[in-house]
Amino acid sequence: MKLSNALRSVSYLSLAQIARIGFSTLGSMFVIRYLGPTQYGTLAFVSATVTLFSALVSLPQHGLIVRELANVGENDRSSAISSAFALRLIGAPLQIICSLIAVIVLGHTGSIVLFTLFAATAYLAAPFQTIRSELEFDGKFGIVSSIDFFTSAASTGVKLLLIFFNAPLIWFAAITLFDAALQILIYLSLKSDKTKILNIKKIRKSTTVEYFKSGIPLILSGIAIAIFTRTDVIFITKMIDETHAGIYSAGIRVVEATFFLPSIIMSVSFPKIARLYYQDKKKYETEISKYILAITLIGIFISTVVSASSWYVIPLLLGDTYVAASKIINITIWSIIIVGLNSAINTILTLERATKVSFYISIIGAVTNILLNYILIPIYGISGAAIATIVAQVSGLLFLPLLYQKHNIFSMMTKPLYPGFIINEIILPLTKGEQKK
């Protein structure tokens, strides 16, 4: 993929994803305002608890599927997809059981348990998303973006209808089931004879074992990541109350709406990066550095704009009851840069079969987050949880050079800071492209 083609893909995906995120954020803002901090805090608590175990249904991860598709021939595609589907199908009921046990152990019964069942069951759509990995590998980003846009628009439409008819909380808890059912129907409609989503005869032991061996550290890493990105809501609910959890979650929801940019850029770049890893290591390193440069610059711009406007925008969007969410946004918005860097690091570690390092990094972050939440929330309230999240995200990165010395990842991450790299790898290729026109 040429640089100009990559830029066009990112541009197209950005427009589609911005529209999708716009629909999703709009729907969420209406729901947050309609429910109020207390009821929204209840849903946020349920979502946080279920997310702790979402990694169980993500084996094998998207990166592992793309890596396998890049490594196998055209005839083995069905094996790669079917093996991935089977593993995710096994993980889905485990995720549901663990989520229900966790919420009961935390002392909740009745409606909270029912809401948790709804949210956990929605993850049954995850096995069908293996076909999404193949679509992205083939560069069919238009189809992927169209699916995301349609499902998001449909979900937002249903939420607005529920608000219009003054629906009770249980209907908003059940909306995840509608989203999951819609995704399953769409992915089933994309199934072709060439590559079936699940073909039992095509499931290979060697592929499954490789997925499992490479994916287990990523699962543990995913659980650890969920701990330091979601336990803050659980801590706030148990240490303060659901109202404060709702205010905090509203701020985090706004911040997470910006995370689509690292995801888009990596979705476009990863298939090319995976191919270069097997073909040209030097170009592979250069492509990683380009991604780091792009996401850092974009992250700084977005963080600055959001920080400057949040105190004015949030009261208008959500109401005065959520004004305290502005402070949470100003603290956590800078995590978009960290999310982008972590995406690049996980790509490197996945391709170089060093996923255990991701687990160690996540464990460091999870332990740091739990300790800081326990210390800072009683002192600073929900702002303490926001500070804990940022520090936890950075803490793992600081240990990376010690945990992985096979490759000079630090050099790849800092290379975009050098003017020579920007001139030779970004400016000159674009100039040559303009001259050819």
Side-chain angles (χ1 to χ4, degrees):
M1 183 185 292
K2 294 181 180 179
L3 180 61
S4 58
N5 292 336
L7 290 173
R8 279 196 295 269
S9 296
V10 171
S11 177
Y12 175 78
L13 282 173
S14 294
L15 291 175
Q17 289 284 57
I18 287 172
R20 180 185 71 84
I21 293 296
F23 269 115
S24 178
T25 303
L26 179 66
S28 296
M29 295 301 104
F30 276 110
V31 169
I32 291 170
R33 186 166 187 141
Y34 172 77
L35 293 178
T38 302
Q39 288 195 98
Y40 183 68
T42 299
L43 291 185
F45 170 78
V46 169
S47 176
T49 305
V50 171
T51 303
L52 290 178
F53 306 100
S54 60
L56 295 175
V57 78
S58 66
L59 177 68
Q61 293 75 9
H62 169 72
L64 295 179
I65 299 174
V66 172
R67 186 186 74 183
E68 187 66 20
L69 289 171
N71 196 33
V72 302
E74 187 71 20
N75 294 330
D76 289 331
R77 279 195 172 200
S78 183
S79 173
I81 297 299
S82 294
S83 299
F85 185 94
L87 281 175
R88 288 192 177 188
L89 196 60
I90 294 171
L94 293 176
Q95 192 263 355
I96 295 173
I97 293 171
C98 290
S99 297
L100 292 174
I101 291 174
V103 79
I104 292 171
V105 169
L106 288 171
H108 294 275
T109 57
S111 60
I112 301 296
V113 175
L114 180 62
F115 295 169
T116 302
L117 178 62
F118 289 163
T121 303
Y123 280 88
L124 287 172
F128 296 88
Q129 291 173 354
T130 52
I131 202 68
R132 177 195 184 98
S133 298
E134 186 182 23
L135 290 170
E136 291 191 3
F137 177 78
D138 289 334
K140 297 179 180 179
F141 301 107
I143 296 177
V144 172
S145 294
S146 297
I147 293 172
D148 289 342
F149 177 80
F150 176 75
T151 55
S152 179
S155 179
T156 299
V158 172
K159 290 175 183 176
L160 294 178
L161 283 175
L162 292 177
I163 293 172
F164 180 78
F165 289 106
N166 295 315
L169 181 61
I170 188 172
W171 285 99
F172 292 94
I175 194 68
T176 55
L177 295 177
F178 169 80
D179 295 342
L182 186 59
Q183 285 188 44
I184 291 172
L185 289 174
I186 291 173
Y187 285 118
L188 282 176
S189 70
L190 293 173
K191 183 176 70 171
S192 64
D193 294 333
K194 181 182 179 182
T195 305
K196 294 182 179 180
I197 297 180
L198 178 61
N199 187 338
I200 296 177
K201 294 181 180 180
K202 290 290 185 177
I203 298 176
R204 288 189 180 179
K205 181 179 179 181
S206 59
T207 303
T208 305
V209 169
E210 179 57 32
Y211 278 150
F212 192 79
K213 286 172 60 179
S214 297
I216 284 297
L218 290 175
I219 280 185
L220 297 175
S221 174
I223 293 175
I225 289 172
I227 289 174
F228 75 73
T229 58
R230 288 295 181 265
T231 51
D232 43 11
V233 177
I234 297 174
F235 268 102
I236 293 169
T237 302
K238 306 304 290 186
M239 297 176 75
I240 308 179
D241 55 35
E242 292 176 342
T243 300
H244 283 81
I247 294 171
Y248 178 85
S249 299
I252 294 299
R253 177 67 183 84
V254 173
V255 171
E256 290 179 344
T258 67
F259 291 173
F260 76 97
L261 276 171
S263 175
I264 290 174
I265 298 173
M266 183 50 69
S267 293
V268 172
S269 303
F270 189 75
K272 178 183 179 180
I273 291 172
R275 291 186 180 96
L276 289 176
Y277 175 77
Y278 293 104
Q279 298 170 4
D280 191 324
K281 289 295 195 294
K282 186 176 180 180
K283 290 183 178 180
Y284 153 73
E285 294 180 7
T286 299
E287 199 67 23
I288 289 286
S289 296
K290 286 180 181 179
Y291 168 80
I292 293 173
L293 174 63
I295 198 56
T296 300
L297 294 176
I298 292 171
I300 292 172
F301 174 76
I302 290 177
S303 299
T304 303
V305 172
V306 172
S307 296
S309 60
S310 64
W311 288 105
Y312 306 99
V313 174
I314 294 305
L316 291 175
L317 288 177
L318 305 180
D320 292 336
T321 54
Y322 286 100
V323 68
S326 300
K327 191 172 184 179
I328 303 305
I329 293 170
N330 289 344
I331 295 172
T332 57
I333 187 60
W334 297 93
S335 63
I336 185 175
I337 301 173
I338 305 171
V339 168
L341 292 176
N342 275 322
S343 180
I345 290 168
N346 286 331
T347 296
I348 296 170
L349 297 176
T350 297
L351 291 173
E352 300 191 6
R353 302 178 189 275
T355 50
K356 288 183 179 179
V357 178
S358 294
F359 170 61
Y360 298 141
I361 292 173
S362 301
I363 285 293
I364 293 171
V367 172
T368 302
N369 193 54
I370 290 174
L371 292 175
L372 289 180
N373 271 314
Y374 186 77
I375 295 170
L376 297 179
I377 290 177
I379 302 173
Y380 300 107
I382 59 177
S383 295
I387 295 170
T389 298
I390 290 291
V391 174
Q393 288 176 331
V394 173
S395 63
L397 295 179
L398 296 178
F399 285 89
L400 182 61
L402 296 176
L403 295 172
Y404 190 66
Q405 300 177 353
K406 176 184 174 182
H407 212 88
N408 193 353
I409 295 181
F410 182 77
S411 175
M412 294 171 67
M413 292 175 65
T414 56
K415 189 185 294 183
L417 299 177
Y418 294 100
F421 176 85
I422 297 175
I423 293 172
N424 292 328
E425 301 296 339
I426 305 296
I427 298 177
L428 289 181
L430 289 174
T431 304
K432 291 177 181 178
E434 290 296 327
Q435 290 176 349
K436 287 182 181 179
K437 292 181 181 180

